[in-house]
């Protein structure tokens, strides 16, 4: 989305479908009748075209991604799951060129960047070694096969190029506190239609789901990136969106990657 992916928010889920992904097909539940659950299948592409999961404001995570990208001054940058190009617009404002975004929408057009309409669960319609830097912000948790996803990212990144990946941290400080009390971990989902197991509305109980399929600990994210040829160069924590006064503690915990609500990892494409 705007960077890409979903705005992680423990108190207000965004975007969120009523469905589950099986392979590259999303099975969307309808209202059950007489003990049976009818369903119809839509593609992953249709799912995200119809459910807005990108963001359109500069939150702490997006601000950090903008900072990390502009510091590196890449000659070419791809934003996977770019939404309407919110992040790309900010990068263009900071003087970067060679910008491109990839997402499922049919009507994105902006002179500041190239737009590639594609389904991220399929091979990208991009030539090998096309981009010096690739951003995957809050999207790896949405894809049914993160292995194929990372293989494709490595394929389109130049040798020695950089990938920036952000995602919720399954073992964040909040989940370490909440799970022993029987609360469903933040960032995870059980129902395909509604957030359950959170106990209280402030923790997201009853919200729309966000479509998270694979949720990573900080160690798991590092390991899967390394598995597909990325050398981890930076591990950063960023805060999420908690109400006051908890937000202050969340910002403090973000200084420790292992306890941060959200994590940003940078990987160098080994040759």
């Amino acid at each position: 989305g705007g960077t890409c992916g979903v705005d992680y928010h423990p108190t207000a889920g965004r975007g969120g479908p009523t469905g589950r992904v099986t392979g590259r097909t999303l099975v969307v539940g309808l209202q059950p009748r007489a003990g049976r659950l009818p369903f119809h299948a839509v593609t992953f592409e249709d799912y995200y075209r119809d459910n807005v999961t990108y963001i359109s404001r500069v939150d702490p995570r997006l601000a950090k991604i903008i900072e990390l990208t502009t510091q590196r001054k890449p000659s070419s940058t791809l934003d996977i799951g770019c939404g309407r190009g919110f992040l790309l617009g900010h990068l263009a404002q900071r003087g970067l060129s060679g910008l491109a975004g990839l997402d499922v929408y049919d009507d994105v057009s902006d002179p500041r960047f190239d737009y590639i309409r594609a389904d991220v669960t399929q091979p990208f319609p991009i030539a090998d070694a096309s981009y010096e830097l690739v951003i995957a912000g809050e999207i790896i948790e949405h894809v049914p096969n993160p292995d194929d996803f990372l293989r494709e990212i490595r394929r389109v990144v130049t040798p020695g190029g950089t990938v920036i990946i952000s995602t919720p941290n399954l073992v964040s400080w909040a989940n370490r506190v909440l799970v022993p009390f029987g609360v469903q971990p933040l960032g995870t989902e059980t129902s395909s239609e509604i957030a359950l197991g959170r106990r209280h509305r402030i923790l997201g109980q009853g919200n729309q789901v966000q479509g998270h399929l694979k949720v990573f600990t900080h160690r798991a994210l590092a390991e899967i990136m390394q598995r597909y040829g990325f050398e981890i160069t930076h591990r950063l924590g960023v805060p999420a969106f908690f109400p006051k006064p908890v937000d202050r503690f969340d910002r403090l915990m973000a200084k420790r990657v292992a306890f941060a609500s959200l994590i940003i990892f940078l990987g160098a494409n080994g040759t």
Side-chain angles (χ1 to χ4, degrees):
T3 178
C4 332
V6 158
D7 175 13
Y8 172 65
H9 196 320
T11 61
R14 294 190 49 168
T18 54
R20 58 189 171 86
V21 170
T22 58
R24 291 192 174 94
T25 300
L26 187 74
V27 179
V28 180
L30 305 176
Q31 291 298 318
R33 184 182 301 274
R36 299 175 61 189
L37 182 64
F39 63 88
H40 66 277
V42 299
T43 65
F44 190 87
E45 188 176 3
D46 290 337
Y47 176 98
Y48 280 101
R49 188 186 299 112
D50 296 335
N51 292 276
V52 175
T53 58
Y54 56 85
I55 64 173
S56 55
R57 67 180 184 280
V58 178
D59 60 13
R61 172 183 57 86
L62 193 59
K64 179 57 68 174
I65 290 175
I66 292 170
E67 175 188 334
L68 293 168
T69 303
T70 53
Q71 284 175 348
R72 280 153 184 78
K73 298 182 175 62
S75 60
S76 54
T77 301
L78 173 67
D79 181 15
I80 300 176
C82 65
R84 303 290 175 182
F86 183 74
L87 169 61
L88 293 168
H90 279 272
L91 295 177
Q93 288 175 10
R94 286 159 177 78
L96 293 187
S97 58
L99 301 172
L102 184 154
D103 216 319
V104 299
Y105 304 104
D106 296 317
D107 57 350
V108 177
S109 178
D110 193 306
R112 297 172 297 179
F113 59 87
D114 295 328
Y115 178 70
I116 304 162
R117 183 192 174 282
D119 178 348
V120 300
T121 67
Q122 305 276 359
F124 304 158
I126 298 171
D128 295 357
S130 291
Y131 296 98
E132 189 176 328
L133 189 146
V134 172
I135 301 168
E138 305 295 292
I139 190 169
I140 193 170
E141 67 272 18
H142 292 265
V143 298
N145 191 331
D147 302 82
D148 282 350
F149 182 67
L150 287 169
R151 288 187 186 103
E152 278 298 283
I153 289 178
R154 189 177 185 209
R155 181 182 66 78
V156 303
V157 176
T158 58
T162 301
V163 60
I164 300 177
I165 295 179
S166 72
T167 193
N169 179 17
L170 180 60
V171 291
S172 67
W173 70 268
N175 283 342
R176 293 172 191 248
V177 170
L178 294 171
V179 170
F181 291 96
V183 177
Q184 178 73 21
L186 305 180
T188 69
E189 296 162 356
T190 52
S191 168
S192 298
E193 301 181 3
I194 188 172
L196 301 174
R198 301 288 177 77
R199 299 186 66 176
H200 304 290
R201 183 68 181 176
I202 197 170
L203 297 176
Q205 181 73 7
N207 285 349
Q208 278 189 309
V209 293
Q210 301 175 1
H212 291 183
L213 303 174
K214 310 283 188 181
V215 184
F216 295 82
T217 67
H218 58 101
R219 287 194 179 95
L221 180 61
E223 289 176 6
I224 197 169
M225 290 176 66
Q226 290 165 343
R227 177 179 175 86
Y228 293 104
F230 294 105
E231 177 188 352
I232 309 301
T233 60
H234 295 78
R235 308 175 193 228
L236 305 168
V238 289
F241 305 90
F242 286 90
K244 296 181 179 180
V246 181
D247 62 329
R248 294 183 179 180
F249 187 73
D250 186 46
R251 289 196 297 270
L252 179 64
M253 289 294 99
K255 296 178 180 180
R256 295 282 304 275
V257 172
F259 298 100
S261 293
L262 302 171
I263 50 179
I264 301 175
F265 282 19
L266 277 69
N269 183 16
T271 55

